[in-house]
């Protein structure tokens, strides 16, 4: 079954535990090919845990993750990157003392040198400031530049699915707008994305589809614009 | 007077080279796992012991050296695969205790195979001292210093230029990010154990003609390597080299100007002072514990 309508990522009744504490309770969601799906929710709702479980750095304790039709629930993280799942993690997670260029090339670790060379040109075209600073240690970049580097590093893998965890966190409003316009641009070019955000309004207004996560469960889902109009969402997350 | 100082300097540099290699071994494994590998000295001992056994059995020296270094590397791989990896996500302290156990186990095996005696490897290129004024230097000392320098250069190339080396470094800097870019971090751990065992094996082989070797030589040189790594700042490659050389020189000076009876006390007095007054060492950065 690899029909065109089948979602690229499909999550079914996924559970995750940290020790005896359950962080995800039977979460189900789907990310169709070429779409931008937003996942919003309060702190501690399990958004980051969900992305960690999709990337395989956190073990699932139940349920299934299917990617492009194949069950990847038990695959190790590096194998998932090879399949085309890249993540822009929360808090940027630079290789701080290493140069910007080293950070980027490490993003293409699962690919050939030639693929890395051509990918880095595209990343530099997207974020010219990274090219200017390519020899500088990543840890010395400003917060906004680090976020660009983190996105650039994930794009180096030329992923089929890009997971973004709070890309706007801790950035000045002007930079937030810049990061969001980058996400919109990527969506336009056909990149499939799952975007996690606390900034629910911004995320839902650019998303094709949205899910609201509450204490480890998906409680509301719908088209991005519809969710923005939903009374429950408005009250709980948009402060209206 | 001057030639005496030069003599102490030579002898300090010689043992310092070995401490530096031992400290580099600690550093490589510490960086990729947070573990202090107390079996590091055993890699050095295995290198020396295997080389001695092979040459005694009539194997030509160059071949014996190559096999001895390879055996040390295999011991490193087995340690990681059979003792560290099965422990899974155990705490760092648990892993450290596992390395202590492995160290005792390796000593026991060698004691059975090699016997309890001390034996020496023949010097690589004779034992006619080279004279500098009235100070003299054994050719084997040059081998030790030169090999140490060569290994430092090779490691700098490996970590600075190769893809695998950068992956090991990246894992040390940020394990989560390394996993997310598709680095197989378990593989990296095995690579770092093998690498540090190879460095240890080389150190053991080049030092065996001077220091003699037996099943328990690894204990002291391992501890001194640990002191050197701490002095340089755990986790810093440059620190390991500088720490090793400083420790070697201090030992030689104390042995020369005070008494050789106190030589082995130097590292232990030093580690107490380091832990009290500069726990981060000379080049150390991290203060927080990795979790």
């Amino acid at each position: 079954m690899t029909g065109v309508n089948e979602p690229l990522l499909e999550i079914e009744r996924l559970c995750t535990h940290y020790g005896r504490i359950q962080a995800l309770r039977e979460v189900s969601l789907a990310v169709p090919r070429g779409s931008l799906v937003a996942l919003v929710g309060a702190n501690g709702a399990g958004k980051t845990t969900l992305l960690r479980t999709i990337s395989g750095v956190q073990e699932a304790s139940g349920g299934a993750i299917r990617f492009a039709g194949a069950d990847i629930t038990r695959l190790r993280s590096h194998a998932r990157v090879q399949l085309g799942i890249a993540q822009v993690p929360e808090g940027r997670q630079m290789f701080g003392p290493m140069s910007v260029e080293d950070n980027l090339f490490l993003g293409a670790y699962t690919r050939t040198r030639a693929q890395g060379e051509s990918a880095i040109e595209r990343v530099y075209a997207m974020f010219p400031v990274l090219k200017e600073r390519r020899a500088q240690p990543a840890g010395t970049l400003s917060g906004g530049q680090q976020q660009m580097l983190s996105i650039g590093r994930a794009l180096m893998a030329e992923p089929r699915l890009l997971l973004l965890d709070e890309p706007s966190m801790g950035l000045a409003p002007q930079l937030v707008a810049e990061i969001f316009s980058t996400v919109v641009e990527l969506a336009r070019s056909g990149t499939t994305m799952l975007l996690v955000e606390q900034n629910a309004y911004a995320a839902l207004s650019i998303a094709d589809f949205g899910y609201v996560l509450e204490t480890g469960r998906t409680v509301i889902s719908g088209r991005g614009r519809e969710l923005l109009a939903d009374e429950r969402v408005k009250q709980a997350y948009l402060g209206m | 007077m001057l030639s005496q100082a030069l003599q102490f300097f030579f002898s300090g540099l010689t043992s310092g080279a070995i401490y530096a290699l031992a400290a580099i071994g600690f550093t490589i494994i510490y960086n990729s796992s947070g573990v202090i590998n107390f079996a590091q000295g055993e890699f050095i001992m295995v290198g020396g012991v295997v080389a001695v056994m092979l040459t005694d059995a009539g194997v030509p020296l160059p071949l014996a050296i190559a096999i001895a270094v390879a055996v040390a590397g295999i011991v490193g791989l087995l340690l990681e695969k059979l003792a560290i990896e099965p422990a899974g996500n155990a705490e760092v302290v648990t892993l450290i205790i596992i390395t202590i156990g492995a160290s005792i186990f390796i000593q026991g095996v060698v004691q059975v195979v090699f016997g309890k005696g001390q034996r020496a490897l023949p010097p690589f290129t004779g034992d006619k001292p080279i004279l500098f004024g009235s100070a003299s230097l054994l050719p084997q000392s040059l081998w030790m210093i030169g090999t140490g320098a060569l290994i430092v250069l090779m490691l700098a190339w490996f970590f600075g230029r190769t893809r695998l080396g950068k992956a090991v470094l990246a894992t040390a800097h940020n394990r989560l990010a390394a996993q997310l870019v598709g680095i197989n971090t378990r593989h990296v751990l095995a690579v770092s154990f093998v690498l540090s065992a190879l460095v240890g094996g080389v150190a053991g082989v080049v030092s065996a003609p001077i220091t003699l070797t037996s099943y328990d030589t690894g204990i002291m040189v391992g501890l001194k390597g640990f002191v050197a790594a701490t002095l340089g700042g755990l986790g810093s490659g440059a620190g390991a080299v500088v720490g090793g050389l400083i420790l070697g020189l201090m030992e030689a000076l104390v042995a020369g100007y005070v008494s050789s009876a106190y030589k082995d006390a130097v590292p232990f007095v030093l580690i107490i002072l380091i832990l009290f007054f500069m726990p981060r060492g000379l080049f150390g950065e991290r203060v927080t514990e990795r979790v």
Side-chain angles (χ1 to χ4, degrees):
Chain A
M1 280 290 288
T2 44
V4 186
N5 294 327
E6 183 202 48
L8 182 61
L9 177 77
E10 208 174 352
I11 288 171
E12 216 179 273
R13 302 164 69 91
L14 188 68
C15 299
T16 299
H17 286 78
Y18 289 108
R20 295 172 67 181
I21 298 163
Q22 187 162 12
L24 296 180
R25 299 161 192 271
E26 308 206 340
V27 171
S28 297
L29 63 80
V31 181
R33 277 167 224 274
S35 69
L36 168 55
V37 173
L39 184 67
V40 300
N43 251 338
K47 306 185 299 291
T48 296
T49 304
L50 180 58
L51 291 200
R52 285 172 57 89
T53 314
I54 297 172
S55 277
V57 291
Q58 176 71 43
E59 209 184 332
S61 49
I65 307 169
R66 270 188 295 279
F67 182 69
D71 187 338
I72 61 163
T73 321
R74 302 274 157 240
L75 275 190
R76 294 203 41 218
S77 54
H78 63 97
R80 302 190 196 196
V81 178
Q82 269 162 4
L83 285 178
I85 302 178
Q87 186 183 146
V88 179
E90 187 180 11
R92 307 176 187 94
Q93 310 293 343
M94 303 284 91
F95 302 117
M98 301 175 88
S99 74
V100 167
E101 190 150 298
D102 276 349
N103 270 266
L104 287 174
F105 274 119
L106 281 162
Y109 187 74
T110 54
R111 323 199 72 226
T112 65
R113 180 86 200 172
Q115 286 171 323
E117 298 280 358
S118 73
I120 205 168
E121 286 314 314
R122 278 193 292 279
V123 170
Y124 281 156
M126 195 169 206
F127 304 113
V129 65
L130 294 183
K131 189 168 189 176
E132 283 166 34
R133 317 228 156 188
R134 62 180 179 275
Q136 210 170 305
T140 64
L141 296 182
S142 72
Q145 289 163 351
Q146 286 193 6
Q147 192 60 62
M148 290 175 197
L149 178 53
S150 186
I151 295 174
R153 186 177 63 190
L155 290 174
M156 287 293 289
E158 298 188 333
R160 293 158 76 190
L161 171 67
L162 183 61
L163 309 171
L164 294 143
D165 196 353
E166 306 267 5
S168 73
M169 192 170 67
L171 297 183
Q174 184 192 339
L175 287 167
V176 172
E178 205 171 310
I179 295 293
F180 269 94
S181 77
T182 306
V183 173
V184 170
E185 215 172 286
L186 286 170
R188 251 186 227 132
S189 69
T191 312
T192 309
M193 282 177 283
L194 178 56
L195 169 67
V196 158
E197 264 294 338
Q198 277 199 60
N199 187 344
Y201 184 80
L204 290 174
S205 43
I206 60 171
D208 300 310
F209 209 81
Y211 290 88
V212 177
L213 203 62
E214 236 169 55
T215 57
R217 292 188 178 85
T218 40
V219 288
I220 312 169
S221 63
R223 303 217 138 260
R225 302 254 165 221
E226 288 167 15
L227 284 187
L228 279 181
D230 188 298
E231 282 307 321
R232 291 168 297 173
V233 176
K234 271 186 178 174
Q235 267 189 356
Y237 300 104
L238 305 175
M240 287 188 258
Chain B
M1 193 55 204
L2 194 67
S3 70
Q4 198 185 24
L6 191 63
Q7 187 67 56
F8 297 152
F9 178 73
F10 285 155
S11 114
L13 216 53
T14 306
S15 42
I18 296 310
Y19 301 155
L21 290 183
I24 287 173
F26 277 107
T27 304
I28 294 171
I29 289 180
Y30 175 79
N31 274 342
S32 62
S33 63
V35 170
I36 311 287
N37 170 32
F38 279 105
Q40 188 61 37
E42 272 28 90
F43 297 152
I44 296 174
M45 178 271 287
V46 165
V49 160
V50 172
V52 169
M53 281 171 63
L54 290 172
T55 47
D56 283 0
V59 177
L61 188 61
L63 184 62
I65 291 171
I67 296 175
V69 172
V71 168
I74 292 167
V75 170
L77 184 65
L78 291 177
L79 173 60
E80 200 278 332
K81 289 286 171 202
L82 302 181
I84 302 293
E85 214 175 282
N89 295 326
E91 302 237 341
V92 163
V93 177
T94 311
L95 297 177
I96 292 175
I97 292 169
I98 289 176
T99 69
I100 296 176
S103 154
I104 296 169
F105 173 77
I106 296 169
Q107 285 174 37
V109 171
V110 171
Q111 202 174 350
V112 170
V113 177
F114 183 76
K116 288 190 174 183
Q118 276 199 331
R119 286 190 262 172
L121 196 64
F124 297 177
T125 48
D127 47 9
K128 192 166 167 287
I130 305 159
L131 294 177
F132 294 87
S134 57
S136 69
L137 184 63
L138 286 174
Q140 193 62 32
S141 292
L142 285 180
W143 276 103
M144 287 165 77
I145 297 163
T147 308
L150 185 66
I151 287 201
V152 168
L153 290 177
M154 282 166 68
L155 287 174
W157 171 80
F158 175 74
F159 286 116
R161 292 272 175 268
T162 69
R163 211 173 153 93
L164 183 60
K166 285 185 180 176
V168 175
L169 271 189
T171 307
H173 294 319
N174 191 326
R175 171 177 297 270
L176 172 66
Q179 288 175 316
L180 290 177
V181 298
I183 294 169
N184 184 344
T185 47
R186 214 179 278 173
H187 180 63
V188 161
L189 193 59
V191 166
S192 64
F193 267 85
V194 170
L195 199 61
S196 107
L198 289 174
V199 170
V202 170
V205 168
V206 292
S207 62
I210 289 187
T211 60
L212 306 182
T213 190
S214 69
Y215 76 95
D216 60 355
T217 42
I219 302 174
M220 197 52 116
V221 73
L223 286 174
K224 289 180 179 177
F226 173 62
V227 172
T230 313
L231 171 62
L234 262 179
S236 159
V241 176
V242 174
L245 294 178
I246 291 179
L247 182 60
L249 289 171
M250 282 177 71
E251 266 192 17
L253 293 178
V254 167
Y257 289 118
V258 185
S259 159
S260 58
Y262 293 131
K263 180 171 157 261
D264 283 341
V266 171
F268 302 105
V269 172
L270 200 58
I271 188 122
I272 291 170
L273 295 177
I274 297 166
L275 292 179
F276 268 122
F277 297 111
M278 48 174 215
R280 281 189 252 171
L282 295 169
F283 296 85
E285 290 154 17
R286 275 196 284 269
V287 250
T288 48
E289 194 183 44
R290 276 137 67 86
V291 281

